[in-house]
Amino acid sequence: MTLILFSLSFAAKDTTFTFQDFNPASQSVVRSTQRIKVLGSSRISYPMFSSNKNPNVIKNMNKNMEKFISDYKSSRNKIYTVTSEIKGDNSSFVSVLFTVEEKDTKTGEKIKSYDGISFNVKDGKALKLKDILVDGFENALTDAVNDKFRQFGLPQVDRFNAVSKKQNFYLDNDSLVLIYNQGEGTNFADGQVFIPFILTDLIGI
């Protein structure tokens, strides 16, 4: 596989995300406290972060978290109930998986989906795939995702887009997990698909 994680050396003050000297069992550098916020008629459970060090990093993390959950404010026709779970937490990143129940106020229909956000604990910024993988990763990752679908025996939806510009994912301490909600990956069963890649399998092979 030609898919490679960032593993470059940077100057000491550089906060660019890197897997240089990455240790999935490393100690967390931030603390989290679960909060509940009501946005309109929506109810959202989410973590807020704290630390005795790097207050600017914590400020950025919490600011980005507040911005993230603001997408789930209720609208005229939609109400959201959102819960969260920290999936990855070490000296490199913190990653949160959200379970979202969307209710149509007119029909009463409920749809479950998943959403993720991951933070670089060096600067508090939200990570995207392009921050984790090398330039030009899209083709290799697309091939790897298609292989996973075949391995799992999952039929793909028409016009399946394996890697979108805003690809949904979260990070466990030792793996990258791509999220495909209903209608995005397959119509089999409940239509929810999680595609995992062990981080060490993506490094410099």
Side-chain angles (χ1 to χ4, degrees):
M1 186 184 297
T2 58
L3 196 62
I4 304 174
L5 295 169
F6 269 125
S7 58
L8 305 176
S9 297
F10 294 92
K13 293 184 179 180
D14 195 336
T15 59
T16 303
F17 186 80
T18 173
F19 278 100
Q20 179 74 29
D21 300 322
F22 172 67
N23 178 3
S26 58
Q27 187 174 0
S28 172
V29 296
V30 301
R31 297 186 299 273
S32 63
T33 303
Q34 204 70 10
R35 301 273 185 90
I36 294 177
K37 175 167 284 191
V38 175
L39 294 176
S41 298
S42 295
R43 182 181 175 88
I44 302 163
S45 175
Y46 66 104
M48 292 292 280
F49 304 102
S50 61
S51 174
N52 294 329
K53 300 180 180 179
N54 302 321
N56 288 335
V57 171
I58 297 301
K59 182 179 179 180
N60 284 340
M61 291 176 70
N62 289 331
K63 180 179 179 180
N64 285 318
M65 179 61 77
E66 292 281 0
K67 181 180 178 181
F68 180 86
I69 67 170
S70 68
D71 287 343
Y72 293 107
K73 181 179 180 179
S74 64
S75 64
R76 183 175 181 180
N77 298 322
K78 304 289 183 183
I79 295 175
Y80 301 94
T81 302
V82 183
T83 58
S84 63
E85 177 185 1
I86 293 180
K87 303 294 287 186
D89 188 5
N90 53 54
S91 63
S92 296
F93 59 78
V94 174
S95 188
V96 186
L97 175 65
F98 290 85
T99 301
V100 181
E101 181 183 85
E102 176 189 305
K103 180 179 179 180
D104 188 309
T105 58
K106 290 185 176 180
T107 66
E109 180 184 9
K110 294 180 179 180
I111 299 175
K112 180 182 286 189
S113 63
Y114 298 89
D115 205 350
I117 185 170
S118 301
F119 298 97
N120 178 358
V121 297
K122 293 181 181 180
D123 60 13
K125 293 181 179 179
L127 292 167
K128 299 179 181 179
L129 282 183
K130 66 181 181 64
D131 300 315
I132 299 172
L133 305 171
V134 296
D135 291 341
F137 68 87
E138 291 87 355
N139 288 338
L141 185 56
T142 294
D143 291 342
V145 169
N146 287 330
D147 285 343
K148 290 281 190 179
F149 268 79
R150 284 192 289 269
Q151 291 172 22
F152 297 156
L154 293 173
Q156 296 175 348
V157 296
D158 293 338
R159 298 181 180 179
F160 174 59
N161 187 5
V163 184
S164 67
K165 291 183 178 180
K166 296 183 178 180
Q167 181 61 50
N168 202 352
F169 72 94
Y170 69 88
L171 292 162
D172 279 322
N173 282 329
D174 61 356
S175 60
L176 164 68
V177 183
L178 303 184
I179 304 170
Y180 300 92
N181 285 308
Q182 191 174 34
E184 295 175 349
T186 186
N187 291 321
F188 181 75
D190 64 0
Q192 309 287 350
V193 183
F194 296 86
I195 301 294
F197 295 97
I198 302 300
L199 292 177
T200 53
D201 289 345
L202 303 178
I203 299 176
I205 298 175

